[in-house]
Amino acid sequence: DVLSALGSANLRLGRLHQAETLLRQATQEDANFVPAWNNLGVALMEKGETGEAMRVFRIAFGLDSGATPMIRENLRLALAKMENPSYTPENKHNFDLVRRGPGSYRLLSTP
């Protein structure tokens, strides 16, 4: 929980590499901790690693049984970006991180 919180804080501060490292450690310590998986996916999306982000969001989605709307939306965004590689921030799409509870963030796309 502490590693996930530190990773989430770094994510919010824009320290993507530190966030990724801490969130990966958090998922290794507790492979069933859904917020760590989701936030790791957000960090990877922010870094432009869409394929791995999609894999990580799928893990979070599976562990959560699809119950959390923000995880479904994050997975949907990653899938959309994989299916349409021209779907990038350079094409007038911006991504914003929005805090949705303790240690959990949602990745939003705005035109």
Side-chain angles (χ1 to χ4, degrees), residues 34-51:
V34 176
W37 284 108
N38 180 63
N39 292 341
L40 176 57
V42 172
L44 292 167
M45 282 292 286
E46 286 288 312
K47 289 177 61 183
E49 298 175 19
T50 309

Side-chain angles (χ1 to χ4, degrees), residues 51-91:
E52 188 174 3
M54 182 180 63
R55 181 189 66 80
V56 168
F57 285 137
R58 283 186 173 161
I59 292 169
F61 183 83
L63 289 171
D64 187 54
S65 301
T68 305
M70 84 176 106
I71 294 173
R72 284 194 308 263
E73 180 64 14
N74 288 345
L75 178 58
R76 186 195 67 76
L77 287 171
L79 288 169
K81 190 166 182 178
M82 285 297 292
E83 290 173 4
N84 184 4
S86 64
Y87 177 76
T88 63
E90 291 79 31
N91 287 335

Side-chain angles (χ1 to χ4, degrees), residues 21-31 37:
T21 299
L22 289 164
L23 291 166
R24 284 188 189 281
Q25 289 175 352
T27 59
Q28 289 171 354
E29 290 292 323
D30 183 357
W37 284 108

